[in-house]
Amino acid sequence: MICLVSGVVKVLWKLIAAVAKKNIWLMFVQMRIFMPIGFIVLITTLIVDRTNLNGSAILAGLLSFPSCIFFAIGVIGMILMTVLAFKADSSNPKVDLTEQFIIPPHSYASLYD
């Protein structure tokens, strides 16, 4: 639930940034605080309830077709978003929009000139 609310606030920040050309800093920075907290809660839940997990069933589901394709796309996307999180200034709405499309940082200038 924490991750969902944090994501909704980030989407609202993007809408405000795009429409009103305002950068509400608290709406921007909250995701870097609450999203990790939400994922820590999710991982803690998995650890606490690990006796009810069936690892072979989970692995079979991830590696079956077409799930494996979407899983690979998701992993590649997370890697690229992590790289962009450290390399780009996502407080800039134009750069943030570029991050959403996973465009390499060197092509920012050509998009907005």
Side-chain angles (χ1 to χ4, degrees):
M1 186 61 143
I2 296 170
C3 293
L4 176 68
V5 172
S6 179
V8 168
V9 171
K10 181 73 171 202
V11 168
L12 291 174
W13 171 78
K14 289 179 186 188
L15 286 172
I16 292 169
V19 174
K21 306 270 191 248
K22 288 185 176 182
N23 183 8
I24 301 172
W25 184 80
L26 188 59
M27 290 179 78
F28 162 70
V29 79
Q30 62 80 29
M31 191 162 183
R32 292 186 185 247
I33 298 166
F34 291 113
M35 197 60 78
I37 292 171
F39 281 112
I40 288 170
V41 170
L42 286 170
I43 292 168
T44 303
T45 304
L46 288 174
I47 292 169
V48 168
D49 200 28
R50 67 182 173 271
T51 56
N52 293 331
L53 294 177
N54 185 346
S56 59
I58 293 170
L59 188 61
L62 286 176
L63 298 178
S64 66
F65 185 81
S67 299
C68 61
I69 294 171
F70 295 112
F71 182 70
I73 291 169
V75 168
I76 291 167
M78 285 189 286
I79 291 169
L80 289 172
M81 289 300 290
T82 301
V83 169
L84 287 173
F86 287 105
K87 300 256 183 202
D89 175 22
S90 59
S91 65
N92 178 343
K94 290 180 181 179
V95 173
D96 190 66
L97 179 64
T98 304
E99 284 180 349
Q100 301 308 308
F101 293 106
I102 314 289
I103 297 173
H106 64 274
S107 57
Y108 293 154
S110 62
L111 282 175
Y112 302 111
D113 288 341

